[in-house]
Amino acid sequence: MKKNKRKNPAGRLFVKLLGNERYQVISIPIFAILISLVVGAVVIGILGKNPVSAYGNLLQGSGLVPKAKYAGGKSMLTDFFSFMDYWTPMIFASLAVAVALKAGLFNIGVSGQMLAAGFVATVIVGYSTLGAPVAKPLAILIAAVTGALVGGLIGFLKYRFNINEVVSSIMLNYIAEYIIAFFINTRFVDPVSRQSKAVSDASRLTLPGVKIGGLKMDIPLGIILAVIAALAIKFIFDKTVLGYELKAVGANRNASRYAGINVGKNMVLSMVISGALAGLAGATYYLGYYASIQPRVLSSTGFDAIAVSILGNSNPIGILCSSFLINIINKGSTYMSSTAGLDAEIASVITGLILLFAACGEYIKYQVKKTKDKMEDERRNAA
Amino acid sequence: MNNVIIDGLSFALPLFIMAIGGIYSERSGVTNLALEGLQGMGAFVGALVAYVLMRSMGTNSQVPYYMAMLFAIIGGMVYSLLHALLCVKFKANQVISGVVINILAMALTTFMTKAINRSVFGAPSDKFELGVSVRWTVPGLSKIPVLGAVFTNIYPFEVVIVVIAFIAWYLLYKTKFGMHVRACGDNPHAVDAAGIDVAKVRVKAVMMSGALSGLAGISFAYSISAKFSSGIYVGYGYLAIAGLIFGNWKILPTLGACLLFGFAKSGGYQIVQNLGMPSSYSDLVMILPYVVTLLLLMFFSKHNQAPRALGEIYDKGKR
């Protein structure tokens, strides 16, 4: 960061690229991403692999760039649909984190809420004999309600008993993980896979193995819902009283109380919405991308979502972009590791680096402003 | 009963020392969700050192064990500088910084364990095997009924933790430095007016949390599985945070909270074993510490008072 301070062309370039305050919302995250990709490339280089082809593999694995060859019945589109299938729960989960963050709450329990919602929907709808037109909407509804209840509980504990939401959601994560593991292991276990028995195809939110023009692909239905949800959340925050109140509570709890906003109600409400979104993430994860639940495992999606949400500046549109990017890294890493011979974990290192630099956003902004002011002073003195 | 106490203590004490680290950081005004990552990175560094030493000194020597502890402390401390840098110098959001540091630690330790194992030791493995820790039994004291269990089968790290915990308690409540730490979390402006550098105090407090978390991490690595992999420590950092909030950011009540977690966990296992229930029932018992915590928090949280300036970025110009 010291570069900015010097009077060299680099400083001027930085100001030129990042100086415009209107675009800093976008330009600084992109700057953070680029730096981390460069750092990641250096690491890959040190490991003796070609970083360009490794990054290319990420895109190929995500179905955004064609691979050299495909197995029978597969194509780039197959990969891309699978990419979207994995992307869907990530969008929902990140929106869940963002809604809570806007109201000043930190929902670290998205994974637990996803699991609870996925499990309840699996047991009630997934193992029923309902037909697809009833089962699919019902699964979505039940998952959303379950998630909302768990999220609402966290909000209520905070409001009524002053229990820090970070603590209660972590406790609930564990409780959900173990109770559900107990029920799966005693009642719903598939003796071969050691996971819960697969849900019926009628209830699944992903249509598996659909044949289009001789190519097989998994069609994710939830992606449409996810994009609608992102737009709806944006509308709520930008255009409604509810959104305004939530943001006010998040910005300053005391000021909102003086302004006559019911802080407790809004906190619980934000957690209800957040939980419902987490529930939808659970439905599209456990009854979509996967069709079963692995006992005693919380999905990493709920935790990655925190990162995605931060990178997207808690803005629904920003989240659509940042989740797309993080998903490329997550989804493409398997292909990269098999093709380039790199450990798949390098992908999460790059994700971590992106977040690290994104967290420095304020500082970058501050340095850019300082350099800019200094340069203007110099210009004035020279004139 | 003996097993409940022995296992309970070996789980509660690392948790406690990590929570003390968290108390230091949070009392100085820096929210520390990064405990999880700090302990992971500390444990990784310690385990790597122990693994290397064991290859040259053989498995019988106890030197690697103590070097592991030392280097875990150093590793945690160095890694915590990142959190300090982000929170104090770069003025980043402290919650976000903590989460980022956890994610990065998880990724880095998993990745580096694999990479080092393959390229340096030529073995494709995602863990470092550590030697089995010796355990001490105090001759006379262990014969006392019930309480004797406290002196039976002690891990050496438990002794280290008790000593360090006492020093940390003394430092926080009885020394000038401790007062500065506590003041930074309640009224940093007053501290600044008194001519003390708030940033420096906070950085030191965060480093303290890194060091203690590192010690906790390596202790878990030895007591739980005698090996290091990124899987072994998942979640304990957050549990320590729950413990310190439960303990109202004070060291002694936090000890109570951590003991509760420890005994609820070991007690639960014992119940399952004694009743001869199938192992899947242990899942049901495993929720005990968390349910108990939630219930107790309902009664005690009302009067919980976080440090007033917790999570606030110190800005000289602001009043």
Side-chain angles (χ1 to χ4, degrees):
Chain A
M1 301 305 146
K2 283 265 188 299
K3 256 182 239 159
N4 298 355
K5 284 183 187 165
R6 277 185 245 138
K7 289 174 204 163
N8 58 12
R12 224 167 292 154
L13 187 70
F14 267 106
V15 172
K16 199 165 185 191
L17 288 175
L18 302 170
N20 192 333
E21 273 108 19
R22 269 186 66 193
Y23 300 119
Q24 274 184 348
V25 183
I26 303 168
S27 64
I28 287 184
I30 290 180
F31 178 65
I33 291 163
L34 287 179
I35 294 188
S36 9
L37 289 182
V38 170
V39 175
V42 171
V43 174
I44 295 173
I46 291 172
L47 293 170
K49 309 284 176 212
N50 180 351
V52 178
S53 73
Y55 285 153
N57 291 153
L58 286 181
L59 293 173
Q60 288 172 328
S62 305
L64 298 168
V65 168
K67 290 178 193 169
K69 62 171 190 279
Y70 287 95
K74 287 193 172 175
S75 74
M76 196 174 115
L77 215 54
T78 317
D79 286 334
F80 184 64
F81 272 108
S82 171
F83 169 84
M84 286 203 294
D85 203 3
Y86 201 63
W87 185 26
T88 311
M90 181 71 101
I91 297 174
F92 279 124
S94 312
L95 289 173
V97 176
V99 169
L101 268 185
K102 284 264 186 196
L105 295 169
F106 189 56
N107 187 359
I108 201 169
V110 170
S111 283
Q113 290 146 29
M114 281 172 68
L115 183 62
F119 177 70
V120 173
T122 297
V123 170
I124 297 181
V125 185
Y127 295 154
S128 70
T129 50
L130 294 170
V134 187
K136 286 188 209 298
L138 194 62
I140 291 171
L141 185 72
I142 286 176
V145 170
T146 313
L149 286 176
V150 180
L153 175 65
I154 294 168
F156 176 75
L157 289 174
K158 167 109 183 167
Y159 159 65
R160 178 74 181 72
F161 296 107
N162 188 28
I163 298 181
N164 188 305
E165 78 277 8
V166 174
V167 176
S168 58
S169 41
I170 291 164
M171 299 293 129
L172 286 173
N173 271 357
Y174 282 117
I175 294 172
E177 185 184 337
Y178 287 121
I179 291 190
I180 289 167
F182 170 75
F183 280 115
I184 290 177
N185 281 332
T186 48
R187 287 167 173 245
F188 306 111
V189 73
D190 180 333
V192 179
S193 68
R194 309 295 300 154
Q195 307 199 345
S196 66
K197 277 179 273 181
V199 297
S200 69
D201 276 348
S203 65
R204 227 179 131 179
L205 302 173
T206 298
L207 305 175
V210 177
K211 274 196 176 166
I212 299 177
L215 296 170
K216 260 192 182 173
M217 49 196 78
D218 300 341
I219 310 261
L221 300 174
I223 187 80
I224 303 159
L225 205 60
V227 173
I228 293 173
L231 296 176
I233 298 292
K234 182 157 179 56
F235 177 79
I236 290 176
F237 274 119
D238 291 351
K239 306 281 179 197
T240 66
V241 178
L242 169 69
Y244 178 79
E245 287 193 351
L246 288 181
K247 276 192 292 188
V249 170
N252 191 330
R253 223 163 269 169
N254 290 327
S256 332
R257 191 169 288 129
Y258 290 129
I261 295 172
N262 186 339
V263 173
K265 188 195 87 179
N266 274 294
M267 276 198 307
V268 176
L269 202 56
S270 75
M271 281 308 295
V272 167
I273 300 174
S274 175
L277 288 164
L280 292 173
T284 48
Y285 189 82
Y286 294 112
L287 288 88
Y289 188 77
Y290 297 104
S292 64
I293 301 173
Q294 196 181 350
R296 283 187 88 159
V297 173
L298 285 175
S299 80
S300 64
T301 304
F303 296 101
D304 288 345
I306 299 167
V308 168
S309 188
I310 294 164
L311 190 60
N313 211 5
S314 304
N315 176 316
I317 306 302
I319 283 173
L320 284 180
C321 302
S322 60
S323 58
F324 188 80
L325 175 81
I326 300 289
N327 202 37
I328 291 177
I329 299 175
N330 280 349
K331 194 81 175 76
S333 62
T334 325
Y335 181 69
M336 180 186 73
S337 96
S338 65
T339 318
L342 279 161
D343 288 324
E345 284 79 12
I346 185 81
S348 33
V349 173
I350 294 171
T351 313
L353 288 173
I354 292 178
L355 293 169
L356 188 67
F357 289 114
C360 300
E362 279 301 312
Y363 185 72
I364 298 175
K365 213 186 271 179
Y366 167 77
Q367 282 294 347
V368 166
K369 191 168 162 15
K370 212 164 111 185
T371 318
K372 200 173 161 189
D373 291 348
K374 212 169 164 189
M375 275 163 54
E376 259 166 35
D377 279 353
E378 274 164 20
R379 202 175 305 142
R380 223 169 288 147
N381 291 344
Chain B
M1 189 63 203
N2 274 9
N3 278 340
V4 174
I5 292 178
I6 293 166
D7 293 343
L9 276 180
S10 69
F11 182 71
L13 285 174
L15 208 57
F16 175 51
I17 203 72
M18 182 155 42
I20 292 183
I23 289 176
Y24 264 85
S25 169
E26 302 222 331
R27 285 304 284 265
S28 82
V30 180
T31 307
N32 202 340
L33 285 183
L35 291 183
E36 175 89 11
L38 299 179
Q39 64 148 339
M41 193 51 93
F44 166 76
V45 174
L48 178 60
V49 168
Y51 191 58
V52 171
L53 286 178
M54 258 164 45
R55 289 169 76 91
S56 58
M57 307 177 84
T59 42
N60 289 327
S61 167
Q62 282 299 306
V63 176
Y65 184 83
Y66 295 102
M67 291 312 269
M69 267 198 251
L70 180 67
F71 276 90
I73 289 174
I74 294 172
M77 200 192 296
V78 171
Y79 190 57
S80 71
L81 282 175
L82 191 60
H83 189 54
L85 184 73
L86 283 170
C87 293
V88 180
K89 178 97 194 348
F90 287 4
K91 304 186 191 315
N93 179 320
Q94 299 175 355
V95 170
I96 292 176
S97 165
V99 173
V100 168
I101 280 179
N102 290 344
I103 293 176
L104 194 62
M106 183 77 188
L108 279 177
T109 51
T110 317
F111 174 70
M112 290 198 296
T113 311
K114 259 190 170 175
I116 290 177
N117 260 324
R118 195 179 31 210
S119 57
V120 182
F121 304 124
S125 161
D126 58 354
K127 47 185 168 283
F128 293 132
E129 296 288 345
L130 301 169
V132 178
S133 168
V134 287
R135 303 183 74 162
W136 296 330
T137 300
V138 185
L141 293 171
S142 57
K143 295 285 184 290
I144 307 169
V146 184
L147 267 185
V150 176
F151 302 99
T152 312
N153 280 343
I154 311 169
Y155 286 101
F157 69 71
E158 293 181 58
V159 180
V160 175
I161 284 174
V162 170
V163 172
I164 292 183
F166 186 76
I167 297 172
W169 174 84
Y170 183 82
L171 198 61
L172 187 63
Y173 292 112
K174 304 288 175 193
T175 65
K176 218 171 176 182
F177 170 69
M179 200 182 73
H180 292 165
V181 168
R182 286 178 289 138
C184 277
D186 271 337
N187 196 339
H189 292 276
V191 176
D192 198 16
I196 295 148
D197 191 338
V198 174
K200 251 185 205 159
V201 175
R202 286 190 169 175
V203 169
K204 280 181 198 157
V206 172
M207 283 169 74
M208 185 85 176
S209 78
L212 297 185
S213 303
L215 176 60
I218 195 73
S219 305
F220 283 131
Y222 270 109
S223 70
I224 292 175
S225 57
K227 61 177 174 265
F228 172 83
S229 72
S230 57
I232 59 156
Y233 60 85
V234 180
Y236 298 144
Y238 292 112
L239 201 59
I241 292 167
L244 79 93
I245 292 178
F246 191 9
N248 205 4
W249 289 270
K250 295 191 180 94
I251 289 183
L252 279 180
T254 302
L255 174 61
C258 293
L259 287 176
L260 178 77
F261 290 147
F263 291 142
K265 190 178 159 113
S266 58
Y269 268 123
Q270 202 62 37
I271 292 171
V272 171
Q273 272 186 6
N274 285 358
L275 297 182
M277 289 191 278
S279 65
S280 53
Y281 280 77
S282 69
D283 284 331
L284 215 48
V285 180
M286 285 293 283
I287 67 168
L288 264 177
Y290 313 114
V291 173
V292 172
T293 310
L294 268 186
L295 288 176
L296 286 173
L297 278 175
M298 280 184 200
F299 292 105
F300 294 116
S301 272
K302 264 279 177 233
H303 309 290
N304 253 15
Q305 180 62 55
R308 264 192 294 272
L310 182 60
E312 259 180 43
I313 296 155
Y314 178 62
D315 182 353
K316 268 189 191 181
K318 205 179 116 192
R319 277 237 40 190

